[in-house]
Amino acid sequence: MSSRYNHKVAEPKWQKRWQDANIFKVEKKDNKKKYYVLEMFPYPSGKIHMGHVRNYTLGDVVARYKKMKGFNVFHPMGWDAFGLPAENAAKTEKKNPADWTYTNISYMRNQLKSMGFSIDWDRELATCHPGYYKHEQLFFLEMYKSGLAYKKMSEVNWDPVDKTVLANEQVIDGRGWRSGALVEKKNLSQWFLKTSNYSEELLNDLDSLDMWPNKVKVMQSNWIGRSEGAEIVFSLVKNNFSDDKHLKVYTTRPDTIFGATFVAISADHALAKKILKKDINAQKFKEEIKIIDSEKTKVGYNTNIFIKHPFLDKQIPLFIANFVLMDYGLGAVFGCPAHDQRDLEFALKYNLEVIQVVEPAKSKQNSNKIKNVAILGGGLMINSGFLDGVDNEKAKKEVIKRLEKEGIGNKKINYKLRDWGISRQRYWGCPIPILYREDGSVVPVKEKDLPVLLPTLGQKNPSPTKEEVDEWKMTTCPITGMKAVRETDTFDTFFESSWYFLRYCNPRLNNKPFLKEDINYWLPVDQYIGGVEHAILHLLYSRFFTKALRDLNFVDINEPFTGLFTQGMVTHKTFKDSAGNWVEPNKIIESKGNYFDSNNEQVEVGKIEKMSKSKKNVVNPSSIIDDYGADTARWFMLSDSPPERDLEWTDVGVASSHKFINKIWETCIKTKKYKAPHGLSKTNKFDSLIKSVSENIEKFHFNKSVANIYEYVNEINKSMEKKSISGDNLKRAAKDLCIIIHPLTPHLSEEIWELLGYEGFCANANWPEFKKNDVVDMIDLPVQVNGKLKGLIPSKNNDKEEVVLEKAKNLPSLKKILKDKIIGKVIYIPGKILNIVIK
RNA sequence: GGGAGUAUGGCGGAACUGGUAGACGCGCCGGAUUCAAAAUCCGGUCACUUCGGUGGUGUGGGUUCAAUUCCCUCUACUCCUACCA
């Protein structure tokens, strides 16, 4: 009888049994502690890739482990199903985006099921389903009512050839990806959410997320970009262009106000627009700067308006400058060339005064000559009237105090975080539920009329025709009965992913997005797992959304994700032929360190890079599952590389994982035949290994758990070979092995569970307990002389120093060294080390 | 320019709050089994060595009885961000 483990039989068998027994279906149980494991849901692009395999394997280890530890584990799955690729595929394949998407979903669902993930499939959702998106239309209406959603003009990328709006990723080097035409900026009225209302809270609450990687928190914190500074109101003199008497600027360096020698505004500033209307040269300037790279060349237009310095009897010029951004601060700055590199470059170009006002504490060079490099550090104030001699940090406060006293300025905290533009000019997205009445007013759709469905398409239409759109958008106002047209824009797809983790609680509920009592039980997500590429946008939007929904009284939580883990990428070798084309690694033949393609031509070895279709270095998970099985794929994903780092896919690595899967099976078969002799000492190695496997899973050190399991299996084999273990202890060790491998290789584990004669599912078994105190009693104590290892002596943790030292002195290696030396100091740390210092 | 991080054998990587550096795996070498091969099993594997030892965790220094671990210097690489006033 062949004892070989056959994954092709075992894996589908257990997947079916799990499904038939519904063992991963969960319900709220108030008396049981919950654990919510969530991986970022996939976009249904067609097939799963290795990145998914890695992501969902990591999550599944946690989910299965926590279940065995007694938690009520919530582990759902869904589809981020709206988005651009569906429209593109629809065009090239002449299909309806909905059909394309649902076909992909059913294929990918089968792929995921073949990996054996412990998912509650009854909670599956797809964001393109009206039953899902009707609720986010409701959220939008509530946000609109509360003022969180508003409309304003904003730029989009316009392809003049295809006559369509392009997403940022469709613009390559300033050209449309399809047409190749130069992309133009076009102003459209678009919807925004007031994320900026939450800047402070989003920043402050990062401190409470102590189970998030610091890296992600730093990224979000930089993105929110809090700065402290001042707003200063300048008076305008000689203004021939408008009635404006004042101009407000934002600065983080109010201390340098005495060094101000010009003021600059953006070409999009309200004042600049007024000037442009009356000054042809200014208009020309605005045209010119469109083609100037302001990063390299700073240019300005002297408006001939002058600004009165707030503390000096002095007037300084006002420029329109290409390096001033309209969408940060107030679009207006004062220039202090001595202490800002950009201002200095600008001043040198236009012959403006450079006045140093901060003297660095330890002036390294004669800093009184500023040439090309501005002084950026702190120091004592000079040339600054009432500030002279004061430390510049203190001077900042002094200036603000004075500004406030004179009513010409104030302290101001500013954020880089901008409002979230949610309008997308696309078909395959969630319709924005708004009507524009013929009298010009904006009318939200009535809640009872939700969902606003997408216009339906014929079988083979990738997007609606103009007639179809016109027919769809014509409607009447529900209040007045007047003619109205629908908003044709759809939501940014980040809108869907900002609340899907809530919807899993009640995925089929029709009249509400979810029940608050279920949210209060399951949320927040205890462990969220995904790629670091979502560190800012998706995670920040979800945090914002949660807070907004809290304020709209939908939920009671402040943060959606308690724990976050960001996994590394899956990488693979790349190859290029002589023509510079990428070649699939599986078509490469190696010979004596050289590599050849199928035409026997030598190829160049490229870098190890993230698996991607364009570099042809992808490995299809399904073929790996066919050849080696899901457990092998899972084991490989968890071995060697720590999960947060990149994992290099190698064929030998997969083969060796497969070998070990078989070795576990063979080992367990051997344990059944084991006949033990009498009178055996017990070993506690197994307890200590179970302890480390558990701790390493808790800490996401799965590669170490894998190493522990190797040791565990080797230990079983050694004990059987040496006949040094009793039958009962071996039986126990084999059962525990079966359990501790379960989160990693669940199919193999169930097969062994059955082999060993246990009832039910291993998936439902309890995680083994280990007795901490059993772990160490006798150890080999390292003995050092002057910090260098000289030998080992058997010792107990509670041995006295005299005992240990006496044993050490009797070591032959030490006798020789200590012969004619005087022992100075002795350091003894029980259970750790004995170090003898000699002279 | 700003920010975050990494550096340990031929390779992936271990080493708890400073206490036996290189666990575990891959690869390689040797052996067993086999007509032979594959598979499997056993042993070895940081370097040098006069076999007593000596050196060794990117570089140079420091603290300590003891440093991969703590502090300072420099170097290389990776990621994020970028006119943010």
Side-chain angles (χ1 to χ4, degrees):
Chain A
M1 184 190 98
S2 167
S3 62
R4 213 151 167 81
Y5 175 69
N6 187 348
H7 69 264
K8 287 194 179 175
V9 177
E11 292 187 349
K13 172 174 116 187
W14 290 105
Q15 284 157 19
K16 182 160 190 308
R17 289 197 190 171
W18 291 328
Q19 187 168 331
D20 291 347
N22 255 323
I23 65 167
F24 302 119
K25 190 181 161 86
V26 282
E27 295 299 337
K28 176 159 101 79
K29 281 181 195 138
D30 289 321
N31 56 351
K32 203 171 174 190
K33 208 158 181 249
K34 66 96 185 181
Y35 195 89
Y36 189 168
V37 187
L38 185 68
E39 302 97 359
M40 291 180 185
F41 65 164
Y43 179 78
S45 55
K47 293 179 198 164
I48 62 167
H49 53 68
M50 282 301 173
H52 293 129
V53 172
R54 191 177 196 197
N55 192 177
Y56 302 141
T57 298
L58 299 175
D60 202 46
V61 172
V62 177
R64 287 181 181 267
Y65 170 77
K66 289 287 178 183
K67 180 177 164 70
M68 295 172 113
K69 289 288 266 186
F71 288 89
N72 197 20
V73 171
F74 195 63
H75 190 208
M77 180 59 70
W79 308 94
D80 190 12
F82 272 136
L84 201 48
E87 281 181 59
N88 297 333
K91 262 181 208 148
T92 49
E93 295 173 29
K94 296 254 183 312
K95 275 183 186 164
N96 174 319
D99 292 345
W100 182 86
T101 303
Y102 284 115
T103 307
N104 288 346
I105 287 175
S106 68
Y107 185 83
M108 290 171 76
R109 183 193 301 116
N110 283 336
Q111 285 189 302
L112 290 182
K113 285 187 173 176
S114 73
M115 283 298 299
F117 298 133
S118 61
I119 288 162
D120 181 358
W121 284 103
D122 287 353
R123 293 178 185 268
E124 180 183 359
L125 59 81
T127 57
C128 65
H129 194 283
Y132 181 83
Y133 69 68
K134 75 179 256 191
H135 303 291
E136 72 189 45
Q137 291 177 335
L138 173 72
F139 295 146
F140 176 81
L141 293 179
E142 292 295 321
M143 288 177 183
Y144 178 71
K145 276 182 219 160
S146 71
L148 267 181
Y150 69 99
K151 215 173 183 201
K152 72 171 182 194
M153 294 299 284
S154 178
E155 275 184 350
V156 294
N157 304 305
W158 176 254
D159 185 322
V161 172
D162 280 356
K163 293 200 170 25
T164 179
V165 174
L166 299 177
N168 286 333
E169 60 269 25
Q170 292 174 312
V171 180
I172 299 153
D173 294 331
R175 290 173 181 276
W177 67 319
R178 242 174 231 283
S179 67
L182 273 177
V183 168
E184 295 170 5
K185 295 284 178 193
K186 202 171 173 178
N187 262 310
L188 290 181
S189 174
Q190 302 189 61
W191 288 97
F192 284 80
L193 298 186
K194 281 198 177 168
T195 39
S196 58
N197 275 15
Y198 291 84
S199 302
E200 196 183 345
E201 196 189 344
L202 287 167
L203 182 68
N204 291 341
D205 284 0
L206 285 173
D207 289 340
S208 70
L209 300 173
D210 48 3
M211 286 167 67
W212 277 41
N214 198 45
K215 173 177 61 170
V216 174
K217 289 195 277 188
V218 169
M219 280 162 79
Q220 291 211 354
S221 164
N222 290 341
W223 188 260
I224 294 165
R226 182 183 193 273
S227 66
E228 272 182 28
E231 284 179 346
I232 303 176
V233 181
F234 289 104
S235 298
L236 303 180
V237 286
K238 294 189 204 160
N239 177 2
N240 299 322
F241 302 97
S242 72
D243 324 327
D244 296 283
K245 296 276 189 292
H246 303 290
L247 175 68
K248 208 192 246 184
V249 306
Y250 174 72
T251 180
T252 55
R253 292 296 302 272
D255 52 322
T256 63
I257 185 68
F258 284 91
T261 56
F262 68 95
V263 170
I265 57 175
S266 159
D268 295 315
H269 191 276
L271 177 58
K273 283 179 180 165
K274 289 176 191 166
I275 296 167
L276 287 169
K277 270 187 194 156
K278 295 190 179 170
D279 185 340
I280 290 175
N281 290 328
Q283 281 172 33
K284 279 187 194 157
F285 173 79
K286 196 185 174 182
E287 283 305 310
E288 282 162 22
I289 59 175
K290 279 185 180 168
I291 52 163
I292 295 175
D293 181 357
S294 58
E295 194 91 50
K296 289 184 187 125
T297 317
K298 312 241 179 295
V299 291
Y301 177 77
N302 194 334
T303 61
N304 280 319
I305 298 177
F306 280 83
I307 305 278
K308 194 200 161 296
H309 190 283
F311 304 127
L312 293 170
D313 185 18
K314 180 177 177 180
Q315 294 183 0
I316 57 179
L318 174 72
F319 284 81
I320 299 172
N322 67 341
F323 67 90
V324 181
L325 304 173
M326 191 56 223
D327 46 15
Y328 180 76
L330 296 163
V333 300
F334 76 74
C336 174
H339 303 289
D340 183 289
Q341 193 60 36
R342 289 159 305 182
D343 294 348
L344 182 60
E345 277 172 44
F346 192 79
L348 292 174
K349 185 161 188 169
Y350 294 100
N351 268 322
L352 301 166
E353 230 183 325
V354 178
I355 305 170
Q356 186 187 344
V357 292
V358 179
E359 181 69 22
K362 286 174 193 161
S363 49
K364 285 168 190 159
Q365 68 257 32
N366 286 344
S367 57
N368 52 349
K369 9 173 188 164
I370 290 169
K371 282 188 173 168
N372 298 317
V373 183
I375 299 170
L376 302 178
L380 296 182
M381 304 309 300
I382 54 170
N383 302 326
S384 292
F386 65 92
L387 297 171
D388 278 350
V390 174
D391 177 80
N392 79 301
E393 284 304 319
K394 204 180 164 204
K396 287 179 182 174
K397 289 173 190 150
E398 292 289 318
V399 170
I400 291 168
K401 218 186 278 174
R402 181 72 71 101
L403 289 168
E404 284 174 346
K405 196 171 137 198
E406 295 187 16
I408 52 167
N410 49 274
K411 184 180 170 177
K412 171 78 180 175
I413 290 161
N414 207 13
Y415 297 91
K416 278 198 278 183
L417 183 69
R418 295 179 210 153
D419 284 344
W420 175 14
I422 50 167
S423 293
R424 294 292 180 274
Q425 297 72 35
R426 313 236 68 97
Y427 167 72
W428 192 234
C430 171
I432 300 176
I434 288 288
L435 307 176
Y436 301 103
R437 209 158 64 191
E438 61 179 347
D439 67 353
S441 42
V442 176
V443 186
V445 172
K446 288 264 182 233
E447 196 183 318
K448 66 174 176 57
D449 294 331
L450 297 181
V452 177
L453 296 170
L454 279 170
T456 45
L457 302 177
Q459 275 286 306
K460 290 188 176 167
N461 291 1
S463 57
T465 60
K466 191 173 179 306
E467 290 72 33
E468 283 171 330
V469 173
D470 285 345
E471 194 199 324
W472 176 82
K473 73 179 190 188
M474 291 308 174
T475 184
T476 51
C477 169
I479 306 159
T480 60
M482 271 193 248
K483 277 188 189 167
V485 292
R486 294 187 185 281
E487 170 68 79
T488 53
D489 285 356
T490 49
F491 287 138
D492 176 5
T493 56
F494 279 120
F495 208 99
E496 281 86 58
S497 56
S498 292
W499 73 284
Y500 76 107
F501 45 88
L502 303 171
R503 178 66 177 172
Y504 282 132
C505 292
N506 311 94
R508 308 284 172 263
L509 192 65
N510 194 35
N511 60 340
K512 281 181 177 182
F514 38 71
L515 300 174
K516 216 170 177 179
E517 70 223 57
D518 289 58
I519 299 286
N520 285 340
Y521 177 72
W522 291 117
L523 270 287
V525 173
D526 295 278
Q527 186 61 61
Y528 197 31
I529 306 168
V532 74
E533 64 273 19
H534 293 112
I536 297 173
L537 295 182
H538 163 57
L539 290 168
L540 196 62
Y541 290 146
S542 298
R543 294 182 61 221
F544 155 75
F545 223 83
T546 302
K547 291 173 190 302
L549 289 184
R550 175 202 60 198
D551 293 343
L552 295 169
N553 204 25
F554 281 99
V555 300
D556 296 327
I557 50 170
N558 293 316
E559 287 287 340
F561 314 120
T562 308
L564 175 69
F565 187 87
T566 53
Q567 97 258 11
M569 301 180 296
V570 181
T571 62
H572 197 195
K573 274 189 196 151
T574 58
F575 295 95
K576 262 185 183 177
D577 66 17
S578 51
N581 301 313
W582 300 99
V583 184
E584 286 96 330
N586 60 5
K587 290 188 179 158
I588 300 292
I589 300 144
E590 196 243 313
S591 169
K592 293 172 191 166
N594 292 316
Y595 297 87
F596 301 90
D597 65 12
S598 45
N599 302 324
N600 217 18
E601 285 193 36
Q602 190 162 354
V603 294
E604 191 191 327
V605 181
K607 275 195 262 180
I608 295 164
E609 299 202 61
K610 180 183 179 180
M611 285 190 180
S612 76
K613 277 183 198 158
S614 61
K615 296 192 175 99
K616 296 200 176 170
N617 63 341
V618 292
V619 175
N620 178 5
S622 286
S623 67
I624 297 301
I625 296 169
D626 281 349
D627 295 347
Y628 296 100
D631 284 342
T632 295
R634 295 169 64 116
W635 186 263
F636 176 74
M637 287 291 158
L638 299 165
S639 305
D640 289 358
S641 293
E644 68 277 10
R645 286 201 217 166
D646 288 353
L647 168 75
E648 192 198 342
W649 181 271
T650 60
D651 294 340
V652 282
V654 178
S656 84
S657 295
H658 188 63
K659 245 162 65 177
F660 188 67
I661 298 291
N662 286 318
K663 185 173 176 175
I664 298 176
W665 174 252
E666 305 286 342
T667 301
C668 289
I669 287 183
K670 276 191 228 160
T671 64
K672 287 195 70 173
K673 300 174 186 158
Y674 180 73
K675 294 277 186 302
H678 298 292
L680 296 163
S681 65
K682 66 166 194 174
T683 167
N684 56 26
K685 184 102 193 240
F686 295 117
D687 265 351
S688 95
L689 284 171
I690 289 169
K691 180 169 179 268
S692 6
V693 170
S694 316
E695 285 169 356
N696 285 324
I697 289 179
E698 302 262 1
K699 287 189 279 190
F700 264 78
H701 296 166
F702 302 133
N703 56 321
K704 295 189 215 169
S705 297
V706 164
N708 297 147
I709 292 171
Y710 275 110
E711 287 185 77
Y712 194 103
V713 172
N714 291 341
E715 187 68 21
I716 289 187
N717 279 311
K718 226 178 273 173
S719 311
M720 287 195 289
E721 216 170 286
K722 292 184 185 162
K723 306 257 180 203
S724 63
I725 189 170
S726 74
D728 283 352
N729 280 341
L730 182 69
K731 208 175 161 189
R732 173 71 201 275
K735 184 186 182 186
D736 287 346
L737 172 66
C738 182
I739 296 171
I740 60 175
I741 63 169
H742 181 85
L744 298 87
T745 55
H747 310 89
L748 173 69
S749 153
E750 294 287 8
E751 196 70 11
I752 292 171
W753 191 252
E754 194 176 55
L755 171 83
L756 298 177
Y758 296 107
E759 295 292 314
F761 292 100
C762 186
N764 288 330
N766 291 322
W767 194 258
E769 295 295 325
F770 43 83
K771 295 173 212 102
K772 273 182 192 160
N773 296 337
D774 276 5
V775 172
V776 181
D777 38 11
M778 283 298 283
I779 61 145
D780 288 330
L781 185 78
V783 179
Q784 296 178 335
V785 174
N786 287 351
K788 284 183 182 165
L789 183 72
K790 295 295 168 188
L792 299 169
I793 50 173
S795 151
K796 281 185 190 153
N797 283 351
N798 54 3
D799 277 345
K800 291 251 160 56
E801 180 173 322
E802 303 86 56
V803 180
V804 175
L805 188 59
E806 207 47 45
K807 274 194 209 166
K809 280 180 183 165
N810 287 325
L811 281 175
S813 56
L814 256 79
K815 268 187 179 163
K816 209 163 152 191
I817 300 166
L818 297 175
K819 202 165 55 183
D820 39 36
K821 296 286 191 324
I822 304 152
I823 294 181
K825 205 171 161 187
V826 174
I827 294 105
Y828 173 54
I829 297 163
K832 293 257 179 183
I833 201 108
L834 176 71
N835 189 10
I836 301 164
V837 183
I838 57 169
K839 288 174 190 165

